[in-house]
Each structure stands twice: as C-alpha cells, then as structure tokens.
Amino acid sequence: MKRETLFLKVALVLIGLPVLALCLFLVPVLAKVAVKLVPAFPWIKYFVYLVFEASALPFYFALYQAFRLLTYIDQNSAFSERSVEALKKIKCCAVAISGLHLLALPLFYLFAEKDDAPGVIFVGLLVPFASLLIAVFAAVLQKLLQQAVDIKQENELTI
C-alpha cells in the first residue's frame, strides 16, 4: 500500500468516526428538543431520527466508494470505468445527503424562532451546501475522468 493513499484511507476512517458519534449521541438530544419545541406533534421525534440517521447511510456509502477509489489508485487502475462509477455514486450520495438535510431546515427555523437566534438557520444550511459542493466537485471529476478513460481506450486501439 502506498504511503499517500494510506494517509487518505486513515483520514476517511477518521472522518467517519465523528459522524458515528453524532448519530449516537447528538441525534437523540435533537429529537428530544424537537418534541419540546413542537409538543403538538410528538411524531417529530421520529422525523428527526429518520432524517439524520438516514443521511448517515449515503454518507458511509460515499466513504466506502472513496475508499474503493483509493484502492484503484493503489492498483494503478485509477483511469478506469470503475473509478468513474465510484465518483458517480459519490455524487449521488452527496445529493441524497443534501436533500435529506434540506428536509430538516424547518426544524432549524423552529430552533431559531425559539431562541431568537437567526444564525441557527445558517448552521442548518451548512450540511446541504457542503454536500452540494461535494456533488459538484465529484461531477466535475467524474466528467474529467471519463474523458481520460475515453482517451486511454482510444490510444490503446491505436497501433
């Protein structure tokens, strides 16, 4: 295993650990706060769990795809259709995360109204916009990599 990709693989694992901790410890607290904010809708607790825990699934799938992409780089097959597919899946996961977190924006509005802190809404926008940024970046890389794969295949057919 190459040193550069080893560092990146360790970084992927270290990125996944705080999200796991947030899912285990912060989401239940957010669910309880949401029930206190909107006591007329006790089902809101399940909505909070659904949105935040469901967004962890595409997050970890995207981390797995990034890990596979680094493995392809180790195997000297970075310019392959498998790499393009991995980037496509990462892009789709980022869009899914963004969409799920956009569903939670009304909760951030309620938090902001309760505490009279409009900055909370901007905090709620961080994850969707960061995910969209990752989706755009993955789409650009996917397109560039697809062009490189096409050029490589064309050169292999040339005598």
Side-chain angles (χ1 to χ4, degrees):
M1 198 178 311
K2 296 180 182 175
R3 178 188 286 175
E4 296 84 10
T5 57
L6 176 65
F7 172 74
L8 292 173
K9 288 178 181 179
V10 170
L12 286 176
V13 171
L14 292 177
I15 288 170
L17 291 177
V19 173
L20 179 64
L22 288 174
C23 286
L24 292 176
F25 301 115
L26 186 63
V27 172
V29 173
L30 285 175
K32 289 177 185 175
V33 171
V35 169
K36 288 180 184 176
L37 282 177
V38 191
F41 302 112
W43 52 265
I44 198 139
K45 169 175 64 172
Y46 302 111
F47 177 73
V48 170
Y49 276 113
L50 178 73
V51 167
F52 289 106
E53 301 290 343
S55 67
L57 295 174
F59 173 79
Y60 283 112
F61 186 71
L63 281 184
Y64 172 70
Q65 292 301 318
F67 197 85
R68 286 183 59 196
L69 194 56
L70 291 173
T71 303
Y72 299 149
I73 292 170
D74 279 343
Q75 298 169 349
N76 290 328
S77 63
F79 297 103
S80 66
E81 287 294 329
R82 298 182 305 176
S83 298
V84 174
E85 282 298 313
L87 281 170
K88 182 179 178 183
K89 290 175 185 175
I90 290 171
K91 176 184 69 172
C92 292
C93 288
V95 169
I97 291 168
S98 181
L100 284 168
H101 278 268
L102 284 175
L103 289 175
L105 276 182
L107 291 175
F108 284 97
Y109 176 77
L110 291 174
F111 292 148
E113 282 291 315
K114 177 81 171 176
D115 291 338
D116 196 28
V120 173
I121 295 173
F122 290 117
V123 172
L125 289 172
L126 282 177
V127 173
F129 282 134
S131 295
L132 284 179
L133 181 66
I134 290 169
V136 168
F137 187 66
V140 169
L141 284 178
Q142 176 191 354
K143 189 163 188 91
L144 287 173
L145 191 59
Q146 183 63 55
Q147 290 174 352
V149 168
D150 292 343
I151 291 171
K152 179 183 173 192
Q153 288 175 349
E154 185 178 311
N155 286 343
E156 288 174 354
L157 294 175
T158 306
I159 297 175

